Amino acid sequence: MRNCGARAPPPIAFGQSTAILAAIALLTKAFGIIASLEHVEEAKRLRLASLLSDAVGWDGLVAGQEIDVNGRDRLVGATDVEELNWLKTGVLFVAAAEMGAVLRGMDDTRIEAVKRFARHFGVAFQTADDLLDLNGSTGELGKDVLKDGSKATLVSLFGANRAHLSCEEHLAHADEALIESGVDAAPIRELVQRLFKKYKAAHP
Amino acid sequence: MRNCGARAPPPIAFGQSTAILAAIALLTKAFGIIASLEHVEEAKRLRLASLLSDAVGWDGLVAGQEIDVNGRDRLVGATDVEELNWLKTGVLFVAAAEMGAVLRGMDDTRIEAVKRFARHFGVAFQTADDLLDLNGSTGELGKDVLKDGSKATLVSLFGANRAHLSCEEHLAHADEALIESGVDAAPIRELVQRLFKKYKAAHP
């Protein structure tokens, strides 16, 4: 889970037990908010709740955190690291994008394109994050530098050059999927560019 | 939150981080299960999700745990202890009963009676738990003895006799509400009697 750059993360600011309870309260509230979206069809609300449950639960974010906290030493190759990145970051990127597509009433083909966009965008983001971490560029993607320094990442496995190429490829695939999805691409591209601004400056 | 008598509780058996992640996964799964109850009307499923969210969130169980963990020394009187008991135990008793009543398709009057039953039953259960804790009767209501020994409880505030009378009164009110609700009382009474069997033996 992300830290907060200059601000102390909640476990330090408020104590661990309060931070954990706050996380549980916020997660619980998310389902309450979804359930009470009165302007959204009931079937859609239920679909959103299922999506969020799958993304966060034991096949999603929780699995990623468990591996990250207790199973890092068992990550031996690129497949393991990619799986961890998917569980820790990718599932939530995809779930967030998919929920937007469902709310928008898109058909399954367009939803699949939106999910593909989010998946590639998520991998690119994670790789850029690892590269910035390697370079020690403080908090540019919103997390603490060298926090992941001792952990196996795609950068430590493949080297910075190949990781950089991979990042660019995933950004290109994300853009293709964005076009295929038929959504208004301009504001999304602007968002992507803003998020990758510091990374692009460091890797022209 | 309850411990497990003879078995080691999850934080000891599996480590704290895994236990916390398991709790988050299970809570998240609960919302996923509610959302996918295909034989239940969509509006009812959404109502169940809202109920669970309210019961667990920052006005419910999470608030109770926060007070229990970080605010016990600020509990000064019976009202504070009753509020804590309500948040830590009562809200979930009532939510569980209310969800059953909603699933059963009861009207609001009957649902209110079911909730009243659960509220009185919850207070009686908590008081009996505190009394057994005082007497050192191991794990009879399913938790570790003397775990609450140093904490303010209704028993420590009022003494065992008044707490015992209060427990009996709440059980009587629970039974009245049960009759008012119009549900088949026999199996519920049997459940209550089974849960209070050891307590009744200790307080004839």
Side-chain angles (χ1 to χ4, degrees), chain A residues 24-204:
Chain A
I24 290 171
L26 289 166
L27 178 62
T28 303
K29 188 68 179 175
F31 288 101
I33 289 172
I34 288 173
S36 63
L37 292 172
E38 287 178 12
H39 54 294
V40 175
E41 287 166 52
E42 292 171 343
K44 271 190 195 172
R45 285 184 249 169
L46 293 170
R47 189 167 169 188
L48 297 182
S50 288
L51 280 174
L52 184 61
S53 175
D54 289 343
V56 173
W58 56 61
D59 288 326
L61 193 63
V62 162
Q65 289 298 124
E66 173 64 18
I67 294 167
D68 197 26
V69 172
N70 295 314
R72 270 276 181 179
D73 53 349
R74 290 194 293 276
L75 300 182
V76 290
T79 311
D80 290 346
V81 173
E82 280 168 355
E83 171 73 5
L84 176 61
N85 286 347
W86 164 247
L87 291 171
K88 277 196 67 190
T89 312
V91 285
L92 274 190
F93 274 69
V94 171
E98 186 175 3
M99 289 167 87
V102 167
L103 277 169
R104 187 74 172 74
M106 291 185 182
D107 63 31
D108 287 348
T109 310
R110 291 184 66 194
I111 289 176
E112 282 309 311
V114 166
K115 288 170 70 177
R116 207 158 56 245
F117 159 78
R119 199 156 45 235
H120 285 298
F121 176 64
V123 176
F125 186 90
Q126 183 68 53
T127 309
D129 197 43
D130 291 340
L131 281 162
L132 284 172
D133 194 49
L134 183 79
N135 294 345
S137 316
T138 309
E140 279 162 352
L141 283 171
K143 65 179 300 189
D144 297 336
V145 175
L146 292 179
K147 191 171 158 288
D148 298 341
S150 61
K151 296 173 177 178
T153 69
L154 293 180
V155 177
S156 72
L157 287 168
F158 293 140
N161 280 346
R162 199 170 138 197
H164 173 62
L165 282 177
S166 162
C167 180
E168 293 293 331
E169 272 175 25
H170 281 291
L171 279 179
H173 287 315
D175 200 66
E176 285 163 23
L178 185 63
I179 301 302
E180 274 176 52
S181 75
V183 304
D184 182 7
I188 307 285
R189 279 177 172 157
E190 205 177 298
L191 180 68
V192 171
Q193 277 172 14
R194 198 157 66 235
L195 284 168
F196 280 82
K197 195 176 167 187
K198 293 275 173 62
Y199 170 74
K200 291 278 188 185
H203 301 83

Side-chain angles (χ1 to χ4, degrees), chain B:
Chain B
M1 296 178 191
R2 309 275 101 178
N3 282 338
C4 314
R7 281 174 298 162
I12 291 168
F14 302 107
Q16 192 185 38
S17 57
T18 300
I20 292 166
L21 288 167
I24 291 172
L26 289 166
L27 178 62
T28 303
K29 187 68 179 176
F31 288 101
I33 289 172
I34 288 173
S36 63
L37 292 172
E38 286 177 12
H39 54 293
V40 176
E41 287 166 52
E42 292 172 343
K44 271 190 194 171
R45 285 184 248 170
L46 293 170
R47 189 168 169 188
L48 297 182
S50 288
L51 280 174
L52 184 61
S53 175
D54 289 344
V56 173
W58 56 61
D59 288 326
L61 193 63
V62 162
Q65 288 298 124
E66 173 64 18
I67 294 167
D68 197 26
V69 172
N70 294 314
R72 270 275 181 180
D73 53 350
R74 290 194 293 278
L75 300 182
V76 291
T79 311
D80 290 346
V81 173
E82 280 169 355
E83 170 74 5
L84 176 61
N85 286 348
W86 164 247
L87 291 171
K88 278 196 66 190
T89 312
V91 285
L92 275 190
F93 274 70
V94 171
E98 187 175 2
M99 289 167 87
V102 168
L103 277 170
R104 187 74 172 74
M106 291 185 182
D107 63 32
D108 286 349
T109 311
R110 291 183 66 194
I111 289 176
E112 282 310 311
V114 166
K115 288 169 69 176
R116 207 158 57 245
F117 159 77
R119 200 157 44 236
H120 286 297
F121 176 64
V123 176
F125 186 90
Q126 183 69 52
T127 309
D129 197 44
D130 291 340
L131 280 162
L132 284 172
D133 194 49
L134 182 79
N135 294 345
S137 316
T138 309
E140 279 162 352
L141 283 170
K143 66 180 301 190
D144 298 337
V145 176
L146 291 179
K147 192 172 157 288
D148 299 340
S150 61
K151 297 173 177 177
T153 68
L154 293 180
V155 177
S156 72
L157 287 168
F158 294 140
N161 280 346
R162 199 171 137 197
H164 173 62
L165 282 177
S166 162
C167 180
E168 293 293 331
E169 272 175 26
H170 281 290
L171 278 179
H173 287 315
D175 200 67
E176 285 163 23
L178 185 64
I179 301 302
E180 275 176 52
S181 75
V183 305
D184 182 7
I188 308 285
R189 278 177 173 159
E190 204 177 297
L191 180 68
V192 171
Q193 277 171 13
R194 198 157 66 234
L195 284 168
F196 280 81
K197 194 176 169 189
K198 293 276 173 64
Y199 170 74
K200 291 278 188 185
H203 300 83

